[in-house]
Amino acid sequence: MREVIPRGYRHRLARWKRWLVGLLLPGWLAGQTAAGFERWWWFEPGLEHGNPMPNRRFRVNAPEAVLHPKFGSRNETFSSGMMQIRMPEDPRLLEGADLYLELWGGHPGTANKRVTINGRSTYAIAEVGTASKHCTHQYPVIRLKPSDLVNGYNALQFACDQGTTFWGHFIVDNACLRARLKPDHPDLVAAGLVGFAAAVEARPHQSERMVLELRATAPERIAGVDYQGYYRGYNENGAIEPFTWHGFTKHRRPEAYLGRATEAPFRIVWDQSMLPAQEGAAVRAIVHFREFANLVYTTAPLEGLRIPPRPDHVVELYPARELPAPFWSRAGRRQHATIDLDVEPERIERAELHIVLWDGGRGSVEHPVTLNGHPVPAAGEGEHDVLYRRLEIEPRLLRRSGNRVEIFSDTEHHGIEVLLPGPALMIRARAR
């Protein structure tokens, strides 16, 4: 039935659908269809930047925390939730601006996360499962009103409600004001970048691989290119949509992007052998420049890409059937989730376990994460950070049903958390 619709019309329809989603859901798809320049202004901790830090992390608390008989004396609650980001930009020379966040979702049950810009507009931070008592992380892009911002220090007041948790709380690991420059911005004129253009090109390469390259008007000025994919797969960034722009940043650096290239023609190979067959995928490039550390150019998405069905194989993602809420282990309490497959193990040629953890510590446990009783190297060193793991699994360890992913930590306080979307298996199997 799909083939009755002309290909060009399908692609135009997909673009209109993504535009509509961008209007209704501020986030990855909002404003991502046009190419253009941005300057990124990151939050800088420290009193010298207008940001006193009572704790090494920027923490946001529900009002009740300061009066709590136990938590009220901890330095995490000393934070007012207000940060400043210096953005020396004339708002009249901007097409607009976005706020981007690296955010740990907080204590499960925390509700109504939000941010107010310069006391002018308040924006909801999209709910992705925290209020339902799940462990979460997210990387929202919030489109701001042009009148929200000032040329200089911008005050961002974060807040949340207690909800149903013991302590309403979340962490903003990084925040960035992304100023979208007008095409004739004086700084672009002075830099000789007016008229700069770049676009992604793609072509098939060997079996189940695609070559991506960047065609640009001034490649000698480019320091590097990060490629980002839009497709159906494991949502390592906590997004709730089936199709999403994949990847996120950690300490401001890309994680789980398609790849990075630093020399013209800025070529990478996108291996699609462990992705489900699909239509409507897309790729875009984030271009960084040699002379300007915080200036980037984002290309328009190259849309209408296809991962075709394999004649002899099938690739599919299998999420856990149900997740504990919250899915965490501490003080010797084991937790698990179960993944069922609809394929016989003897047909499986490759398998990957995808899982995202908040690594609060394993305590004295040697193997804090196991699959069907076998250790998997998912946990880290207890740095209280987000860890995305994509791990090869021997097919012989899998079962058709009842694949058990278990976490176990004996730390007294924060232990191992499994963040949404929870563990999943990507399976490549021979067709019947």
Side-chain angles (χ1 to χ4, degrees):
M1 190 67 181
R2 212 167 38 224
E3 295 305 319
V4 175
I5 304 174
R7 179 178 295 273
Y9 178 78
R10 281 206 310 274
H11 295 165
R12 289 195 297 273
L13 181 61
R15 285 197 294 271
W16 276 104
K17 286 171 69 177
R18 288 196 284 276
W19 174 81
L20 181 60
V21 169
L23 287 181
L24 299 178
L25 293 174
W28 282 105
L29 293 180
Q32 297 299 332
T33 56
F37 284 98
E38 295 179 339
R39 273 196 289 233
W40 292 357
W41 302 99
W42 289 93
F43 162 66
E44 300 290 352
L47 188 59
E48 66 274 25
H49 303 290
N51 293 300
M53 297 285 287
N55 185 275
R56 69 186 182 95
R57 286 258 175 61
F58 185 88
R59 297 178 179 271
V60 185
N61 299 285
E64 294 86 351
V66 298
L67 300 178
H68 194 280
K70 180 180 179 181
F71 308 134
S73 59
R74 290 175 52 164
N75 65 13
E76 292 98 320
T77 66
F78 299 171
S79 169
S80 66
M82 195 274 282
M83 72 164 56
Q84 294 199 85
I85 299 179
R86 183 174 178 269
M87 190 188 78
E89 299 277 5
D90 185 340
R92 296 169 296 183
L93 301 177
L94 303 180
E95 299 233 319
D98 301 325
L99 172 63
Y100 169 75
L101 304 173
E102 296 179 13
L103 190 151
W104 172 66
H107 294 153
T110 299
N112 194 23
K113 297 191 290 288
R114 58 197 183 274
V115 60
T116 302
I117 312 297
N118 290 324
R120 299 174 180 181
S121 300
T122 298
Y123 298 89
I125 297 173
E127 177 55 53
V128 294
T130 318
S132 302
K133 295 198 171 183
H134 287 286
C135 302
T136 65
H137 68 138
Q138 61 187 120
Y139 306 85
V141 179
I142 301 172
R143 177 142 296 184
L144 305 178
K145 296 177 184 176
S147 57
D148 286 338
L149 301 169
V150 298
N151 186 346
Y153 283 92
N154 290 266
L156 283 63
Q157 179 66 62
F158 292 90
C160 62
D161 292 344
Q162 181 77 11
T164 57
T165 187
F166 66 103
W167 174 3
H169 182 76
F170 68 97
I171 293 175
V172 180
D173 270 325
N174 270 286
C176 182
L177 288 174
R178 296 178 171 180
R180 289 181 278 113
L181 309 184
K182 289 184 177 180
D184 59 349
H185 193 288
D187 290 351
L188 297 179
V189 175
L193 287 171
V194 170
F196 175 88
V200 178
E201 293 185 353
R203 67 176 187 273
H205 175 71
Q206 298 178 357
S207 174
E208 301 182 83
R209 286 167 173 80
M210 182 177 289
V211 169
L212 303 177
E213 293 183 354
L214 187 81
R215 297 302 178 193
T217 54
E220 71 281 358
R221 305 193 68 177
I222 296 173
V225 177
D226 296 314
Y227 289 97
Q228 191 175 23
Y230 177 85
Y231 55 87
R232 180 174 69 87
Y234 180 79
N235 288 359
E236 69 292 313
N237 54 29
I240 59 178
E241 302 88 1
F243 272 78
T244 187
W245 287 108
H246 282 263
F248 56 96
T249 61
K250 181 176 178 179
H251 308 308
R252 310 180 185 182
R253 300 183 64 83
E255 295 257 338
Y257 278 38
L258 298 182
R260 180 177 176 84
T262 57
E263 294 183 2
F266 307 103
R267 180 184 297 123
I268 69 164
V269 176
W270 180 16
D271 185 350
Q272 303 169 336
S273 61
M274 288 298 285
L275 284 175
Q278 56 192 278
E279 304 210 14
V283 172
R284 66 184 176 197
I286 297 93
V287 180
H288 303 267
F289 294 88
R290 297 185 185 280
E291 305 133 283
F292 311 102
N294 67 336
L295 181 69
V296 302
Y297 179 93
T298 302
T299 69
L302 175 61
E303 299 181 296
L305 301 181
R306 183 171 182 257
I307 302 176
R310 294 86 174 173
D312 301 320
H313 295 85
V314 62
V315 179
E316 195 52 79
L317 180 69
Y318 295 88
R321 77 164 85 116
E322 189 175 352
L323 297 175
F327 195 173
W328 65 18
S329 175
R330 61 178 69 182
R333 182 186 178 193
R334 296 180 184 271
Q335 289 273 28
H336 76 275
T338 302
I339 302 173
D340 294 326
L341 307 177
D342 63 1
V343 58
E344 296 81 7
E346 56 268 23
R347 288 172 44 211
I348 298 174
E349 291 193 344
R350 284 186 63 191
E352 293 176 343
L353 174 68
H354 293 251
I355 191 169
V356 185
L357 302 178
W358 175 261
D359 186 26
R362 67 179 70 191
S364 63
V365 177
E366 184 178 1
H367 302 300
V369 184
T370 59
L371 171 62
N372 292 336
H374 297 273
V376 291
E381 301 303 319
E383 294 295 327
H384 289 250
D385 60 345
V386 172
L387 301 176
Y388 166 51
R389 304 301 198 196
R390 179 179 174 179
L391 305 168
E392 287 278 348
I393 301 296
E394 294 185 36
R396 64 179 179 81
L397 302 180
L398 301 176
R399 310 162 183 162
R400 186 180 174 96
S401 62
N403 293 282
R404 182 183 176 107
V405 178
E406 184 174 278
I407 59 172
F408 180 51
S409 171
D410 61 5
T411 58
E412 181 182 353
H413 298 293
H414 216 127
I416 302 291
E417 293 184 9
V418 179
L419 307 181
L420 290 183
L425 287 167
M426 191 73 80
I427 299 296
R428 181 183 176 92
R430 293 186 299 275
R432 292 183 182 276

